[in-house]
Amino acid sequence: MGKSVNPDLAKARSQATFDPANLTNYLYGGPEKLRRKRYLPAFVFKELCTEMSLTDLCLIFLGLLTHVSDYLGLTLSIENMAAKEYKEEGFKSTDDMSREEAYEESMRRAVYTNKRVLQLNLQDQEEQYYFREIFVPGANPFALHYVMFKDAINTQGTEDQIQKWLPLAETYAVTGTYAQTELGHGTFLRGLETTAEYDVQREEFILNTPTITSSKFWPGALGKTANVAILNAKLITKGRNCGMQSFWVPLRHLETHQPLPGITVGDIGPKFGYHTSDNGFLQLNRVRIPRENMLMRYSKVLQDGTFVPPENDRLVYVPMTQFRFVVIGRSGWTLAKAVTVATRYSAVRRQSEITPGGGEVQILDFQTQQHKLFTQIASAYAMIIAAKAAKDLYDSAFSKMEKGNLEDLPMLHALTSSMKAFNTWEMATGVEQCRMACGGHGYLLASGIPQMYTDMVSACTYEGENTVMCLQAARFLNKCQEAANKGERLPQLTRFLQTSRLNISSSLDQDVDLNDIIAAYEFRAATVISEANARLNAGLAMGKSQSEAWNYASQLLVKAALAFSHWFTVRALIENMRGAGFDNSTETLLLQLAKLYALDGMLRYSGDFRKVG
Ligand SMILES: CCCCCCCCCC/C=C\C/C=C/C(=O)SCCNC(=O)CCNC(=O)[C@H](O)C(C)(C)COP(=O)(O)OP(=O)(O)OC[C@H]1O[C@@H](n2cnc3c(N)ncnc32)[C@H](O)[C@@H]1OP(=O)(O)O
Ligand SMILES: Cc1cc2nc3c(=O)[nH]c(=O)nc-3n(C[C@H](O)[C@H](O)[C@H](O)COP(=O)(O)OP(=O)(O)OC[C@H]3O[C@@H](n4cnc5c(N)ncnc54)[C@H](O)[C@@H]3O)c2cc1C
């Protein structure tokens, strides 16, 4: 039962000047990865459904990604499924459900995917992600379990603890969350109030949330789903505060799922988005856990209560750095989904005339519509490709860290902090632009775009509020600027602070040279970073303390971090497009897209670029 493709859409596709397969293979990491990615939904839907053609299945798959399936009224008839417990007649849209019903529907689908991932032995993280996203397109109640809970065990646990706890997480014998934020503190971790006091007599920690503001507040899955938390608390031993450490804390009974003694836990209530994630609160009333429940890869508490500090007290922050990197990558794909929906819609929506009497045109023919969408297509590619470029730096830093070499930790923290802020702000702006480009139908939940926005815009807040993350990156950039001022050697990533010069060869009447574009963004970043450093030093010269001068310069410091990220993204986009081995037509198109992205950025930040000439 094939579905005919809209003739306007078919015509637009037929006019492509390149072979999309080349690009798709590049984006998904090669033909084999792409084959697997396409095979998974077809395999699963074939298993689930009886009378659906492959076209329908792909349409449903794509539609599920963007909820278009709700719009088309498609439902899946679930037949002889391997997972007998999945009794649902089909995927009902959660758009019309209450929060409880939507959570239950998402939970049902998530539990199904968890079982199938194990039965199909899907080991590859990306394949697991694709598989899950087919069935739970919105916020997945197990998201914290899949990412931060397991990452914290892997990065903060000893080998013995990993051996003990990771199999429980992998087989869903336990369901976890990452409980750090409190009602009174999300950003300022040194202000966390939850305590873990060591009782040397019984070799146990006594966990306590002594005040209302110390209640854990926000952790995903805490409201209903999780029965264990990796919980961050202030360690107190021998009367001394030893800073934030991580602990494995059972929350609910593994059989009855009822809160354990001393535990008060529940859901924090309705949110702007992320409706199917049960973000919760937790109060601990002198809950005891054994000494072995402290994650002791880097810091330890000996039986007699002696605290053995980590080589670097920032290593406890590694799970956040890891997850910021996930957010950096997913931001580009989120924008890619939104702009795909909006571009397809713009090919099939006919509205108004360009030439009077000439008949209504595809809205994609309006230059204003092209500007709205093509800049977002370019931005999605830029973010996806910059994330791939950052991964190389990320992987090399992590492999060095695992051998005990922490020299790249500051660079990694700065890169993940600034790129997480840059990408999520760009993604949020871009998704909203795509929604508005679809007129009234973009405002329909069935378009899929509103939920993408309300779910994903939270990424500007969680995992490090964006302004705070920019200021974190600015610490590193400012240090590099100070070193540059003294002629000292800089880390590879910031050496442009010493070398960047504005020797642009392009003139306005010729096609701009790509190397000039990179040089312009590099010079803009170097100038903004230098200006922020100058403002900081001006503050000090006025007699302000270091922290007051930092606050005095903070707006420019945020700009410096964003200019750095913008340069990193433009450079990655151009260098990767030139070096990717595409055929001429594809490379020509991609370099055109890279110029569009870079020149649009210059227009949006024309003040910076005009100022640096
Ligand atoms: C579109 C995206 C889609 C993604 C979908 C995926 C599915 C999503 C589902 C889950 C949804 C949500 C999950 C959310 C989870 C959470 O939010 S978990 C909680 C996150 N919380 C935070 O991030 C807290 C942010 N605050 C901090 O990190 C710290 O408080 C802060 C760094 C701001 C300050 O810490 P201080 O101890 O005060 O440090 P400071 O004095 O500023 O600096 C000291 C020193 O330490 C260095 N530093 C700080 N952090 C790190 C780090 N992480 N790694 C390495 N080094 C670090 C800092 O640079 C300083 O060094 P310096 O040399 O003195 O400069
Ligand atoms: C959907 C969602 C899911 C979440 N999931 C989890 C989870 O699973 N686990 C978990 O532990 N937490 C989770 N969180 C909490 C999240 O990590 C915090 O909300 C986040 O760290 C921001 O902290 P805050 O809410 O206290 O905001 P605040 O820090 O209070 O921010 C408020 C304002 O203060 C400004 N500000 C704060 N500090 C500074 C500073 N030093 N300089 C300049 N400006 C500053 C910020 O820029 C912001 O404008 C989640 C949050 C959301 C929204």
Side-chain angles (χ1 to χ4, degrees), residues 410 472-486 488-491 494 497 529 533 536 546 550 557:
Q472 280 296 303
R475 288 178 75 113
F476 172 76
L477 296 171
N478 187 61
K479 279 202 179 115
C480 292
Q481 184 61 55
E482 289 289 346
N485 296 344
K486 297 169 196 157
E488 294 169 2
R489 182 172 166 73
L490 295 184
T494 53
L497 292 176
I529 292 167
N533 172 260
L536 182 65
Q546 179 67 31
W550 183 264
L557 289 164

Side-chain angles (χ1 to χ4, degrees), residues 187 190 274 314 317 321 324 330 463-464 472 475 479:
T187 289
R190 279 182 285 156
Y274 249 65
R314 302 297 118 191
Y317 286 177
T321 302
R324 285 168 193 152
R330 298 265 180 83
E463 215 48 66
Q472 280 296 303
R475 288 178 75 113
K479 279 202 179 115

Side-chain angles (χ1 to χ4, degrees), residues 144 177-181 185-187 217-220 271 274 279 458 461-465 467-468 471:
L144 265 295
T177 183
Y178 182 83
Q180 174 179 284
T181 301
H185 292 94
T187 289
F217 197 90
W218 272 111
K271 305 181 288 285
Y274 249 65
N279 299 82
S458 55
T461 303
Y462 65 60
E463 215 48 66
E465 197 280 328
T467 304
V468 172
L471 291 168

